[in-house]
Amino acid sequence: MLGLKHNTNVLVDYDPGWETAFAEERARLAEALGSVARGIEHYGSTAVRGMTAKPILDILVGVAPLSDWQKCHDPLIALGYDYAAHAGVPGHYIFGRGRDATERTHLVHVVEHLGESWRSNLAFRDALRNDPVLRQAYLEEKRRAVAGAPDSRGRYNALKQAFIDAAKAKLRW
């Protein structure tokens, strides 16, 4: 259901179990983080019914102010996450969780609640949920990115970024 070995990029068919897995993880996160987490949202392709995706749950945790991300560190470590200090996403503090040291099942991105990243990522998720043309175009972009970077998540993300940025720009008014 969930899990992707490090240095591997594979897209799988949508799994309705992802919704349940997120609900369970959201409850664990909410209990561990308490009022520090102003919001916890499922985003990324696993949050879009019917969307082919890498089998890793992407979760946004919103904090305010952003410096409160540090208050998330120890509780997330206690839940089995590790801190990816050099993940390279500006404004994101990223924690990963997996079945063991070789496989990733969850990624938590701690961002500023209601900040630009929070709003734009949720707007993109919602647009994918509601626009089949956008969803199909993004799937094609993801397939090209996997073909271009079958063993590098960083490169895979970089290959998709122009598409994502353009889509998010169209969502602004």
Side-chain angles (χ1 to χ4, degrees):
M1 181 167 99
L2 284 176
L4 192 58
K5 292 191 182 310
H6 293 294
N7 300 318
T8 303
N9 285 322
V10 176
L11 299 176
V12 301
D13 290 337
Y14 178 78
D15 183 340
W18 292 338
E19 290 179 38
T20 302
F22 168 71
E24 291 168 357
E25 193 64 11
R26 184 186 192 291
R28 283 178 13 105
L29 292 167
E31 183 176 333
L33 299 174
S35 63
V36 173
R38 303 269 182 109
I40 301 171
E41 291 284 341
H42 187 189
Y43 83 114
S45 296
T46 60
V48 180
R49 284 188 183 163
M51 185 85 184
T52 299
K54 291 191 324 289
I56 300 173
L57 290 184
D58 288 309
I59 301 169
L60 280 179
V61 171
V63 298
L66 184 56
S67 61
D68 277 358
W69 81 269
Q70 295 172 339
K71 295 177 183 176
C72 297
H73 182 276
D74 290 348
L76 289 172
I77 299 299
L79 288 177
Y81 284 86
D82 56 83
Y83 176 50
H86 304 288
V89 182
H92 288 226
Y93 296 91
I94 301 175
F95 295 79
R97 185 173 148 233
R99 289 193 190 98
D100 56 40
T102 65
E103 193 168 56
R104 186 67 74 207
T105 58
H106 299 69
L107 286 174
V108 165
H109 294 243
V110 180
V111 300
E112 182 181 7
H113 187 248
L114 302 180
E116 176 62 25
S117 188
W118 177 270
R119 289 181 289 115
S120 68
N121 279 299
L122 295 181
F124 184 55
R125 176 204 63 194
D126 293 347
L128 287 169
R129 286 176 171 174
N130 295 312
D131 185 342
V133 173
L134 177 63
R135 193 167 44 249
Q136 184 60 38
Y138 186 46
L139 176 57
E140 291 168 15
E141 189 69 21
K142 289 164 47 113
R143 287 180 174 147
R144 278 192 290 276
V146 163
D151 59 1
S152 170
R153 299 245 176 89
R155 178 80 178 125
Y156 167 80
N157 289 331
L159 290 170
K160 299 183 313 174
Q161 197 58 52
F163 179 93
I164 294 168
D165 290 344
K168 286 179 178 180
K170 288 180 184 177
L171 296 172
R172 295 192 183 108
W173 52 86

